[in-house]
Amino acid sequence: VQLQASGGGQVQTGGSLRLSCAASGSIVSINGMGWYRQAPGKQRELVADITRGGSTNYVDSVKGRFTISRDNARNTVYLQMNSLNHEDTAVYYCNADVRTRSWSFVYANYWGQGTQVTVSS
């Protein structure tokens, strides 16, 4: 299973970016999907996650500015980021719990490769 993240880049304060992460490979189903970020010198933190049914959860610092969504048919999760500020600068990683065997209900956790988001003033 591979998670391919895209959509990062450099944007000015107040701007917007949309991240995408597509899962591919031997996939039976995907449970939770999410976005994490890691800024220089800081620990990786959960930004937002979403269940297969669409229930969402956000870290307080992005509430009202970021929106996570997913397309189950495309095995893809998105993160719409608006009103970006310098504190949002980080490498963003997607994450997913994936079931890969039809005869097993075990879900394994996978990470994408990370995409850089830089917010400049």
Side-chain angles (χ1 to χ4, degrees), residues 19-65:
L19 305 183
S20 299
C21 177
S24 61
S26 180
I27 298 171
V28 174
S29 65
I30 301 177
N31 198 359
M33 303 184 82
W35 289 95
Y36 290 71
R37 66 185 178 187
Q38 187 166 20
K42 295 187 177 181
Q43 290 188 330
R44 189 175 297 189
E45 66 168 352
L46 173 67
V47 176
D49 59 18
I50 184 168
T51 67
R52 182 171 180 81
S55 296
T56 60
N57 174 56
Y58 298 91
V59 67
D60 285 346
S61 60
V62 308
K63 286 180 179 177
R65 301 188 297 122

Side-chain angles (χ1 to χ4, degrees), residues 75-88:
N75 292 328
T76 300
V77 62
Y78 307 96
L79 186 68
Q80 178 66 43
M81 305 185 293
N82 299 329
S83 301
L84 286 160
N85 58 57
H86 180 69
E87 286 69 36
D88 298 316

Side-chain angles (χ1 to χ4, degrees), residues 106-121:
V106 173
Y107 285 79
N109 190 254
Y110 294 88
W111 289 94
Q113 84 284 10
T115 184
Q116 177 71 47
V117 171
T118 303
V119 184
S120 58
S121 55

